[in-house]
């Protein structure tokens, strides 16, 4: 299966499962559930769930082993986008090609939709039926990983340092902290959970951890570059906003050309990390290249 087909197939699987796990829009409170569904089904790439599935398959598991955790991760990611777009944060009008959640449902409902997506994600991770065949010990470890990488020492921590750095000159270690935490953390979590639920051993878990660290940082550098050279129609959101807000980015610190070189180096590191997994990691290798070559 080529990568395009793989992405289409696995994202359809994730969408079908999200449909099953998200409360219906006509269920009370309707406004909240409709707001949650509006952002979840706005056409995201499903990259984190797909990475989780690919990591699981690379250690010998199948998509079915991780689908509930993949959906929980996409719910966490979507909550972060809804909150990031709020007037108190980036104050963005467009996301995933549509008006942002607060533009449609109002600020209070958008905050609560994000809160509910985050909470529902952990309910799903702890759900006995969704975890059938998974030991309680493993399910707990998955919950701990996702909480750690989403929380104050993961994505939220990165977001705080990012906000506090706006309009300031920051050094390279601070920039790398922002990128590895704000964006890299959930990507790392995706492959670690894939390794665990797919039954990977310690060596495979360590290899995927190295892969996830490099791929996560490469993803954010590519995102920074797209904000400079990308097309609004492809991205579904405003471009040039990083520079407008005085955000520290790789292109701002290194220039676009050196930022591209750095993303390429990280892609090589990510691919090399997969060596212990052999041929089964071919899809992850393609995903690493997709992360830096994508146009949206
Ligand atoms: C508000 C707690 C909190 C955290 C926000 C993720 C994040 C932290 C902010 C989003 C800002 C942003 C655009 C970061 C760049 C990297 C990123 C996460 C891009 C969006 O992810 P994609 O490209 O989006 O995977 P889709 O829509 O395809 O899922």
């Amino acid at each position: 299966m080529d990568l395009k087909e793989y992405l289409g197939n696995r994202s359809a699987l994730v969408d079908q499962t999200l449909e099953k796990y998200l409360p219906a829009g006509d269920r009370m409170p309707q406004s909240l559930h409709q707001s949650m569904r509006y952002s979840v089904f706005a056409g995201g790439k499903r990259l984190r769930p797909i990475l989780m599935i690919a990591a699981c398959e690379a250690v010998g598991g199948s998509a079915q082993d991780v689908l509930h955790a993949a959906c929980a991760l996409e719910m966490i990611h979507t909550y972060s986008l809804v909150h990031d777009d709020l007037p108190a944060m980036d104050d963005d009008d467009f996301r995933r090609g549509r008006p942002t959640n607060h533009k449609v449902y109002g600020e209070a409902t958008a905050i609560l939709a994000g809160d509910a997506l985050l909470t529902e994600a952990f309910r799903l991770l702890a759900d006995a039926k969704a975890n059938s065949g998974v030991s309680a010990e493993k399910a707990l470890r998955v919950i701990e990983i996702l909480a750690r990488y989403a929380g104050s020492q993961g994505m939220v921590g990165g977001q705080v340092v990012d906000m506090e750095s706006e309009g300031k000159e920051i050094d390279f270690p601070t920039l790398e902290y922002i990128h590895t935490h704000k964006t890299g953390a959930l990507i790392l979590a995706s492959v670690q959970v894939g390794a665990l639920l797919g039954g990977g051993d310690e060596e495979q878990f360590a290899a995927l951890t190295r892969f996830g660290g490099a791929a996560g940082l490469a993803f954010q550098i590519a995102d920074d570059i797209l904000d400079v050279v990308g097309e609004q129609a492809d991205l579904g959101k405003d471009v040039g906003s990083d520079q407008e807000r005085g955000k520290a980015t790789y292109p701002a610190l290194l220039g676009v050309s050196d930022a591209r070189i750095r993303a390429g180096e990280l892609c090589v590191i990510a691919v090399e990390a997969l060596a212990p997994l052999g041929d089964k990691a071919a899809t992850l290798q393609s995903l690493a290249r997709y992360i830096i070559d994508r146009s949206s």
Side-chain angles (χ1 to χ4, degrees), residues 1 6-15 17 45-71 73-74 187 189-198 208 280-281 283-284 287:
M1 201 186 295
Y6 183 87
L7 291 172
N9 177 294
R10 297 303 187 271
S11 70
L13 203 53
V14 171
D15 282 4
T17 317
K45 294 182 289 296
R46 310 302 191 212
L47 179 72
R48 295 152 193 80
I50 290 172
L51 279 169
M52 191 186 286
I53 293 170
C56 175
E57 291 167 343
V59 300
S62 75
Q64 295 303 326
D65 299 328
V66 286
L67 271 179
H68 72 294
C71 289
L73 178 54
E74 186 66 14
I187 289 179
S190 71
V191 292
Q192 286 195 342
V193 170
L196 265 182
L197 291 178
L208 284 164
K280 279 206 151 103
T283 304
L284 282 174
L287 283 167

Side-chain angles (χ1 to χ4, degrees), residues 38-224:
Y38 174 81
S39 288
V40 169
F41 294 113
K45 294 182 289 296
R46 310 302 191 212
L47 179 72
R48 295 152 193 80
I50 290 172
L51 279 169
M52 191 186 286
I53 293 170
C56 175
E57 291 167 343
V59 300
S62 75
Q64 295 303 326
D65 299 328
V66 286
L67 271 179
H68 72 294
C71 289
L73 178 54
E74 186 66 14
M75 285 155 76
I76 296 170
H77 167 60
T78 306
Y79 119 76
S80 80
L81 299 180
V82 171
H83 281 192
D84 183 66
D85 291 335
L86 287 166
M89 292 198 220
D90 276 2
D91 195 11
D92 274 318
D93 293 348
F94 287 96
R95 167 74 65 186
R96 292 179 164 174
R98 297 178 169 194
T100 41
N101 196 299
H102 63 274
K103 287 273 164 197
V104 177
Y105 293 94
E107 227 177 299
T109 302
I111 292 170
L112 293 167
D115 293 342
L117 282 169
L118 176 61
T119 315
E120 279 295 303
F122 282 95
R123 188 198 60 72
L124 179 54
L125 289 168
D127 184 273
K129 208 164 149 209
N131 274 301
S132 85
V134 180
S135 71
E137 192 192 343
K138 208 176 253 189
L140 265 183
R141 218 173 141 198
V142 168
I143 290 170
E144 194 277 329
I145 289 174
L146 285 173
R148 174 150 40 98
Y149 288 120
S152 66
Q153 295 179 73
M155 177 180 70
V156 176
Q159 175 79 349
V160 169
V161 179
D162 188 24
M163 279 165 28
E164 290 174 352
S165 303
E166 272 185 27
K168 293 186 189 151
E169 270 193 24
I170 59 166
D171 56 16
F172 211 74
T174 309
L175 178 64
E176 201 140 299
Y177 177 94
I178 294 170
H179 282 19
T180 52
H181 288 72
K182 184 178 86 165
T183 312
L186 285 197
I187 289 179
L188 180 51
S190 71
V191 292
Q192 286 195 342
V193 170
L196 265 182
L197 291 178
D201 62 22
E202 287 305 319
E203 191 197 5
Q204 291 170 323
F205 186 86
L208 284 164
T209 298
R210 284 194 299 280
F211 169 85
L217 185 51
F219 178 87
Q220 181 58 58
I221 298 174
D223 204 79
D224 285 354

